[in-house]
Amino acid sequence: MNITSKQIAELCGVTRGTVDRALNNRPGIHPETREKILRVAEELGYRPHFLAQSLVKGHTKTLGIVLFDIHNRIFSQLFHAFEAEARKRGYIVYLVLSHRDKELELEYINNLLDRRVDGIALLPANFNKKFESLLLRSRTPIVTFGNRLNGPFPYIWIDDKQAIQDSVSFLIQQGYRRLIYISPPLMRKGKENIHVPEQRYNGFIEACEATPDMRFDIIAQKNYLAELETLMDTTDSSSAILCSSDVYALEVLKWLNDRKIKVPEQIGLMGFDNIDVLKYINPAITTVDYNVNEIGTRLADLLINKINNQDIPSETLIAHHVVEGQSATAMR
Amino acid sequence: MNITSKQIAELCGVTRGTVDRALNNRPGIHPETREKILRVAEELGYRPHFLAQSLVKGHTKTLGIVLFDIHNRIFSQLFHAFEAEARKRGYIVYLVLSHRDKELELEYINNLLDRRVDGIALLPANFNKKFESLLLRSRTPIVTFGNRLNGPFPYIWIDDKQAIQDSVSFLIQQGYRRLIYISPPLMRKGKENIHVPEQRYNGFIEACEATPDMRFDIIAQKNYLAELETLMDTTDSSSAILCSSDVYALEVLKWLNDRKIKVPEQIGLMGFDNIDVLKYINPAITTVDYNVNEIGTRLADLLINKINNQDIPSETLIAHHVVEGQSATAMR
DNA sequence: CTGTTAGCGCCTTCAC
DNA sequence: GTGAAGGCGCTAACAG
């Protein structure tokens, strides 16, 4: 169906070796022969068979990236940057969505490995030894992000623990003395890789315990609004709700709005991630910002460098900072 | 590096043909030989080389999907559904982002073709004959969506013209008699494939012209807020702004908020797409809803059916309906 | 039942 | 400068 180098060889009355020399302009071929072959190839719209090339060259110029989903804006932005950098460096990417499902992730990883991707950017849901040894045995370059593994896999993200501590500091400074921390992923502890939620959780606990007179609660379940409800009568204007992600903060704000509870007048609210839809929300939600585009770009950069056998740092942490909105400003 | 069927053959003292029979459990092999081969393969963690398989089988079990971007929620949702259906049917997908850039789209299409993807789901930015003939010549199954080509390419989306007419009808019914239609993509007319924006535009014009006493304006430029400003002193509470997409409606609402112009008291506002972030917005934006998950699923379904040489409809239109919020409710 | 052979499309020595 | 041959890893048709 498609024109092959063999056919060109026949048409030009030469052998495939010569055609190859012309096509990949390698030395050792008469200029005229080259001209002719190139012309014929051009006319016939010859395009090399990428798979066949990959098979012999041993690389596919393909990257795989596994994400939980792209509903969370943070991940769709990350993908954008990743894809752009990959393209600039000559790679095309498989995007697969694990939905935090360990089985599915495993299935996908195996599939990507079978397809001989040159490297994988991985947001891991699995976390056990068996999984890691599969990755290691594959000898495929891998860079993790947004969740850490135990083995020697390079990692890029932010300093989550510090970021939450900064958030708590900010809230304390605003005069808040009673905090409710909402982080549903914590409920999957032991069942799933929740490295980042745990880092944030640890940061929260430490920061709170280091503060005299601080009261705090943790909500770690899927149905977090129901639990929040039971806590509401213990709150006042010196209370604030800190969410481990903007997506929860948005839900909480909506829930509070529906109940005519005013933010920040009656209770403070703070998110995390600074996803871009926040700009449309009233009141502006105080949150933690970090350059996710940079993460995406660096992620691709690191992975490709690793593919090229360059040394890359085992950990790359991107800067973060609290962005003050109007949702966590206690009446002092 | 990785174990091959040849090595298994040697280890088992048989030939590759036999190994192949065992691995792909084909008939004509002694149960014991099969057992042994399977056991050895299992122990060594043998996995077939997907590329080599593809090369000989003539298919790659790979789909390509080209999107403008995944910032617009409608596209990330669509991808989710597409990816899920593809996976269920045994395919993995390349996601490439054209950013509406015709050159880039072309480059990507060629790349996907070189990689011998089994099919392409295409949101086209290009629209000329040359582009279409490239697609046709490739003989690769293609299904378009969200923008139409002229050639015989199956298409799936919604009835955009009708949807805007329904929107206008709704606004008229609410008592609006002066409409401002905002659709920035229209400015790229002639330069880029804007099939859908044009359909919506046509629907708008027809619906307005069919209505006596209707005044209307079109804003078709990137800097639409600036143009909107010049029109604001010609509006009153019987005026409404109709946006060709929710993303513009969100910007407009923010802009109006900043100017303390009340929606819908002073002016009506309506969007299109019903992207999921709308649920967090106040006032609730009236918009047009359609099941984008269904589009994503059907898109994959159609494409795969086409790959399997089944007949598929040249046009598939998904239902839509106006969702009433509080942003376009004239004081009657 | 199993081995042999040929081929998918391309690249890469090694002779001539 | 060019041809011939072998191989990437797997499948498939044909013998035996």
Side-chain angles (χ1 to χ4, degrees), chain A residues 15-248:
Chain A
T15 159
R16 286 136 87 235
T18 308
V19 170
D20 188 60
R21 274 179 271 259
L23 259 24
N24 301 317
N25 52 58
R26 288 188 306 173
I29 180 173
H30 192 91
E32 272 184 31
T33 331
R34 150 171 301 143
E35 276 308 307
K36 182 176 178 189
I37 293 174
L38 255 29
R39 192 160 34 74
V40 172
E42 174 68 31
E43 276 167 17
L44 269 48
Y46 169 79
R47 304 220 105 217
H49 194 300
F50 203 88
L51 268 61
Q53 265 183 167
S54 296
L55 188 60
V56 53
K57 286 194 177 172
H59 64 240
T60 54
K61 285 290 175 184
T62 306
L63 263 27
I65 182 167
V66 5
L67 291 170
F68 293 160
D69 60 69
I70 51 174
H71 282 152
N72 189 336
R73 260 320 232 275
I74 222 64
F75 294 132
S76 54
Q77 282 181 245
L78 187 147
F79 178 81
H80 258 252
F82 183 82
E83 195 257 5
E85 179 67 16
R87 169 174 53 76
K88 281 182 201 144
R89 312 271 289 263
Y91 289 80
I92 285 216
V93 2
Y94 283 124
L95 167 56
V96 303
L97 270 21
S98 73
H99 300 277
R100 297 191 138 95
D101 180 323
K102 289 184 290 184
E103 292 305 318
L104 185 53
E105 177 181 63
L106 196 60
E107 184 187 323
Y108 265 143
I109 294 272
N110 274 319
N111 201 326
L112 292 176
L113 258 21
D114 289 348
R115 287 161 185 262
R116 299 299 195 275
V117 293
D118 292 339
I120 298 177
L122 174 65
L123 170 57
N126 277 286
F127 60 107
N128 58 35
K129 277 263 164 290
K130 213 178 107 214
F131 180 68
E132 297 198 19
S133 81
L134 165 73
L135 299 181
L136 252 19
R137 271 201 322 271
S138 80
R139 307 198 122 281
T140 300
I142 289 175
V143 177
T144 58
F145 63 97
N147 249 350
R148 207 187 280 264
L149 291 172
N150 293 310
F153 301 97
Y155 177 76
I156 176 170
W157 201 241
I158 63 168
D159 184 342
D160 287 281
K161 187 173 173 185
Q162 185 62 52
I164 283 290
Q165 288 178 329
D166 292 349
S167 303
V168 173
S169 294
F170 174 85
L171 292 171
I172 290 171
Q173 210 179 318
Q174 293 296 316
Y176 291 105
R177 285 296 175 274
R178 189 255 192 283
L179 302 181
I180 298 175
Y181 184 63
I182 298 182
S183 180
L186 288 173
M187 77 182 174
R188 288 188 286 266
K189 185 178 170 81
K191 295 184 184 160
E192 211 175 82
N193 191 328
I194 54 163
H195 171 78
V196 161
E198 278 190 305
Q199 288 299 306
R200 295 184 187 173
Y201 171 79
N202 293 339
F204 179 79
I205 297 289
E206 275 187 30
C208 286
E209 291 186 338
T211 310
D213 306 326
M214 177 59 90
R215 288 178 57 206
F216 60 93
D217 283 284
I218 309 288
I219 296 183
Q221 58 161 296
K222 194 173 180 180
N223 200 359
Y224 55 94
L225 293 175
E227 188 165 346
L228 180 58
E229 175 133 48
T230 70
L231 256 32
M232 284 306 288
D233 48 6
T234 68
T235 65
D236 58 26
S237 67
S238 77
S239 306
I241 300 165
L242 175 56
C243 298
S244 67
S245 166
D246 287 336
V247 294
Y248 307 121

Side-chain angles (χ1 to χ4, degrees), chain B residues 167-179:
Chain B
S167 303
V168 173
S169 294
F170 173 84
L171 292 171
I172 290 170
Q173 210 179 316
Q174 294 296 315
Y176 291 105
R177 285 298 175 270
R178 189 257 191 281
L179 301 181

Side-chain angles (χ1 to χ4, degrees), chain B residues 4-5 16 20 26 46 48-49 53:
Chain B
T4 75
S5 70
R16 286 138 87 234
D20 188 58
R26 288 188 306 177
Y46 170 79
H49 194 300
Q53 265 183 165

